[in-house]
Amino acid sequence: MNPPTWLGVDAGTSVVKAALFDEDGGALAVAGRPLDLVHGADGAVEQDLEHVLAHLGEVVQEVVATAGRSPSVVALTGQGDGLWLTDAAGAPVRPALSWLDGRASELLGGWTADGVTERVFRTNGTTLFPGAPGPLLGWLDAHEPASLDAAATAGTCKDALFMRLTGVRATDPSDSSLPFGDGTGTGYSDAVLDAMGLAHRSNLLAPISTPVPQAELSAAGAALLGLPVGVPVSSGPFDFPACALGGGVRGIGDGLLIVGTTLGCLVHVDRLATDGEPAGFSVATGEPGRWLRAMPAMVGTASMDWMLTTLGLGVEAIDAALGTSPPGAGGVEVLPYFATSGERAPFVDPEACGQVTGVRLTTTRDDLVRAMCEGLAYAARHCFEAAGGVARLVACGGGGRSRPWLQVFADVLGVPLELARTPEVGARGAVLAAAAARGEPLDVGTWTAAQGIVEPDSTVQAHYDDGYARYLDHVRAAQPFWATRRASLATVSR
């Protein structure tokens, strides 16, 4: 009889991946498929649930066929935020609104002016941004109430997948805590819903299951995945906290740097942060007295991809540029806020946009690429400082495949980077959460053993400290111009 295997699934923003693990965390097979994002007018960014489900079935069947083994358990994780509307059968009512969607920016501006965003933060430690479920639900309530009337659930990506695979309507402490939670991870806040004017839509929020939802694969789910009916399925946490679990972020003060589509910066804390300047959000872990203080900048590798595409370069150009252009990128500096919906951490500004400064006739493409690498590293330092600092840091994400870029992060942050065990850190974390919930604890130390350490180079520390100070000066100088951007664009369009 074969030993048990564990299937981790991560339905991200741009790709859905599946990995089949053995008992020691070794990957028996991995597969992925790209996912489509549909960009529309007024900052609309949407996804098709059926498209995600179809590719989910493909990657699961591929890893099972490659490994020649069927999983004992299926563990789901996926992108957080956004809004996925489904009916009582789990079918989409309309295309999902991505967390990148910017249509709620004006609504959020009104909420901020009226003090709603601060009241939410003081309740549960969540700073709202346009692509968060609260503003998106509010936007639909104002512009598409019929869609909400037809829906049974307004949830996140993994919740929608879990419903289709098992027929069970549920969410976990991590997703439920943002932004409607009461701060504990076990319930929703009437005060938050009232502040947003959404109490009449509270029926759309799924029941919370702790530590994570668990059910069995239904006949429909089994047909989609090519697995037997009745295979146990778990859901959660969403991708950020799942990566923290999969990366071995366990102690208070441990941090995680995700160099992915989003630049994720998280710190494990023992206090719900609802004081000070509102920033980031606090993710409930399902454990009493434990949260992840998250500062997820809107874009990470997405900004780098834009730069490379614009310059006509491939990803291999990153290492080459960092080997050619010196620290400081010949005076070129980048504010990497390239998302269509602005920025959400370590500050919220729907009008934030990117800047490239210091360009001269002598500037090279390598300088521009290095400047983007450094700009994203400065953004990460800004996020970690806003989160209260970090004692130990684990790094993961697609950007981590570039060792020279990780060196820039280590140099700018001034701390060693422990490289999370790969492949599929998020899917690995989902499996660890599923095992713990089922009372089948795996050897967490083995599953999350670091694959190496990148030490900071002390000879460039002073240079990057100065560069970070300039980065902060640029942010402060740019903010007044961002505030006038929408009015300026409206004047031009007329």
Side-chain angles (χ1 to χ4, degrees), residues 326-343:
V332 180
E333 296 167 315
V334 171
L335 294 185
Y337 311 129
F338 286 26
T340 56
S341 55
E343 189 49 81

Side-chain angles (χ1 to χ4, degrees), residues 350-430:
E351 302 306 324
C353 52
Q355 288 186 199
V356 181
T357 60
V359 177
R360 292 181 170 174
L361 293 176
T362 53
T363 296
T364 67
R365 292 192 299 181
D366 289 341
D367 293 332
L368 292 168
V369 173
R370 174 178 271 278
M372 180 62 79
C373 291
E374 293 179 346
L376 287 165
Y378 290 139
R381 180 167 170 178
H382 197 184
C383 287
F384 279 117
E385 288 187 356
V390 61
R392 169 179 168 257
L393 191 56
V394 177
C396 67
R401 288 191 287 269
S402 170
R403 189 65 174 251
W405 193 6
L406 286 179
Q407 186 65 58
V408 172
F409 276 106
D411 294 344
V412 169
L413 294 167
V415 295
L417 299 184
E418 298 181 22
L419 307 184
R421 185 180 181 185
T422 57
E424 301 311 325
V425 180
R428 185 180 298 273

Side-chain angles (χ1 to χ4, degrees), residues 61 76 86 92 101 133 136 147 161 272 316 336 339 344 388 405 424 433:
Q61 292 180 48
L76 303 175
T86 53
D101 196 292
L136 292 177
S147 294
L161 299 181
L272 180 65
E316 69 282 352
R344 61 176 174 174
W405 193 6
E424 301 311 325

Side-chain angles (χ1 to χ4, degrees), residues 101-136:
D101 196 292
R103 282 173 287 186
S105 295
E106 185 175 353
L107 171 72
L108 181 59
W111 283 4
T112 300
D114 293 341
V116 173
T117 55
E118 181 160 356
R119 290 202 294 276
V120 172
F121 181 80
R122 301 303 174 204
T123 300
N124 59 26
T126 297
T127 304
L128 300 175
F129 72 102
L136 292 177

Side-chain angles (χ1 to χ4, degrees), residues 109-323:
W111 283 4
T112 300
D114 293 341
V116 173
T117 55
E118 181 160 356
R119 290 202 294 276
V120 172
F121 181 80
R122 301 303 174 204
T123 300
N124 59 26
T126 297
T127 304
L128 300 175
F129 72 102
L136 292 177
L137 190 61
W139 186 88
L140 287 171
D141 194 49
H143 297 276
E144 293 184 25
S147 294
L148 299 184
D149 294 340
T153 304
T156 56
C157 181
K158 67 168 180 54
D159 298 337
L161 299 181
F162 185 70
M163 174 67 179
R164 288 290 287 273
L165 294 179
T166 68
V168 175
R169 178 176 181 259
T171 190
D172 80 300
S174 68
D175 266 327
S176 67
S177 61
L178 309 173
F180 304 114
D182 61 8
T184 67
T186 61
Y188 298 112
S189 169
D190 291 338
V192 167
L193 288 164
D194 287 340
M196 295 181 186
L198 294 172
H200 64 294
R201 297 296 187 181
S202 62
N203 62 297
L204 295 175
L205 304 181
I208 304 167
S209 297
T210 57
V212 291
Q214 301 180 74
E216 293 184 348
L217 197 61
S218 67
L224 176 71
L225 301 186
L227 299 176
V229 172
V231 172
V233 182
S234 74
S235 179
F238 73 87
D239 54 3
F240 276 15
C243 283
L245 281 174
V249 174
R250 296 185 296 276
I252 300 302
D254 285 0
L256 180 72
L257 170 66
I258 306 173
V259 189
T261 303
T262 296
L263 185 65
C265 303
L266 301 85
V267 181
H268 195 191
V269 298
D270 57 4
R271 183 181 71 88
L272 180 65
T274 58
D275 55 351
E277 185 71 20
F281 49 79
S282 296
V283 184
T285 64
E287 297 181 55
R290 294 290 185 271
W291 294 266
L292 288 168
R293 183 82 190 278
M295 295 287 168
M298 284 297 291
V299 287
T301 56
S303 289
M304 178 59 75
D305 290 344
W306 177 89
M307 179 67 80
L308 294 175
T309 300
T310 302
L311 296 175
L313 300 173
V315 292
E316 69 282 352
I318 297 174
D319 289 4
L322 292 174

Side-chain angles (χ1 to χ4, degrees), residues 48-68:
D48 178 7
L49 174 59
E50 300 298 342
H51 173 75
V52 177
L53 283 163
H55 286 323
L56 167 63
E58 290 176 7
V59 295
V60 170
Q61 292 180 48
E62 181 177 332
V63 297
V64 170
T66 300

